[in-house]
Amino acid sequence: MSEKKMSSSRRHYLKSLMLSIAKGLLEEEAKEKEEERERWMEENCPPLSLPSGSQQLMEFLKELHHKIDRIDEERYDLESKVNKSAKEIEDLNIKVIDLKGKFKKPTLRKVRMSADAMLQALLGSKHKVCMDLRANLKQVKKEVKEEDKELRNVGDWRQNIEDKSGMDGRKKMFETES
């Protein structure tokens, strides 16, 4: 154990010191944000001076309305850019997850659906695809061997025993085997 354990009082002192430094940094940051906001307001929002005549007031309102429209257009453009970027980030995250191979497969329910219905659900109603899986199978011809035929055509067992009974039957059996 190369590391020496710190006493609890020392640990508490260091923790309180770090918290006090962080508090000071947060206060400075809040002051900077407030100053930046005030500077921005001074640049973009001059002090309001209402005109005295009705004609001047109408021109001022038209100008104000025009500024509002321009700001709304900018807001809409920025909002669409943000949405597009968010969608792009989501797609890239999905690709990363797929490449990592740690994608958890969702539990699937059993659905009784024919291949045609499944293709129609996937491709939509525009594509009419008929998929007969049995039509694509190869035809296999079964060859029956002659030995199998002989084994199957044994015939009547009584006839077989009568032929082999007695000395003649045994003699025939030995003659046929050799």
Side-chain angles (χ1 to χ4, degrees):
M1 293 179 106
S2 62
E3 295 180 23
K4 295 182 180 178
K5 290 191 175 183
M6 240 189 285
S7 66
S8 62
S9 60
R10 172 93 172 135
R11 200 173 329 131
H12 182 68
Y13 169 73
L14 290 175
K15 189 176 182 180
S16 62
L17 185 65
M18 285 188 343
L19 287 174
S20 64
I21 291 171
K23 184 179 177 185
L25 290 174
L26 283 175
E27 288 173 356
E28 287 179 26
E29 190 177 322
K31 285 179 185 177
E32 287 177 9
K33 279 186 180 181
E34 185 63 32
E35 289 172 2
E36 185 180 334
R37 183 177 180 274
E38 287 176 12
R39 271 188 270 126
W40 188 87
M41 290 295 282
E42 287 174 6
E43 291 174 7
N44 295 324
C45 302
L48 185 61
S49 60
L50 292 175
S52 59
S54 63
Q55 186 65 24
Q56 293 173 345
L57 187 61
M58 290 295 277
E59 288 177 19
F60 175 73
L61 290 176
K62 285 181 183 178
E63 186 179 321
L64 192 61
H65 188 67
H66 182 68
K67 285 181 181 179
I68 291 172
D69 287 343
R70 194 171 8 145
I71 290 173
D72 277 345
E73 288 174 5
E74 288 176 15
R75 182 187 54 82
Y76 177 78
D77 292 342
L78 290 175
E79 193 175 291
S80 63
K81 283 182 184 178
V82 167
N83 288 339
K84 185 178 178 183
S85 298
K87 180 70 175 162
E88 208 172 295
I89 289 170
E90 185 179 332
D91 291 342
L92 290 174
N93 282 337
I94 289 172
K95 284 183 182 179
V96 166
I97 290 170
D98 288 345
L99 290 176
K100 281 184 179 177
K102 293 183 179 180
F103 181 73
K104 293 183 180 178
K105 293 181 182 177
T107 55
L108 301 176
R109 295 180 294 158
K110 283 189 177 181
V111 178
R112 300 188 110 196
M113 187 182 282
S114 68
D116 294 331
M118 199 176 300
L119 282 173
Q120 188 174 10
L122 288 173
L123 300 175
S125 60
K126 292 181 181 177
H127 301 282
K128 298 285 181 181
V129 178
C130 185
M131 186 173 193
D132 188 14
L133 296 175
R134 291 189 178 134
N136 296 334
L137 296 176
K138 287 184 177 179
Q139 294 293 328
V140 178
K141 294 181 182 176
K142 188 175 181 183
E143 296 179 14
V144 180
K145 297 181 181 176
E146 291 179 22
E147 296 172 6
D148 293 341
K149 283 185 181 178
E150 289 177 12
L151 289 175
R152 288 185 187 159
N153 294 333
V154 173
D156 191 14
W157 60 275
R158 288 183 220 106
Q159 181 69 31
N160 223 359
I161 291 177
E162 286 175 7
D163 288 344
K164 293 180 182 175
S165 65
M167 285 304 278
D168 294 333
R170 297 214 186 268
K171 189 176 178 185
K172 286 180 190 174
M173 195 165 70
F174 285 114
E175 287 175 2
T176 56
E177 287 180 6
S178 50

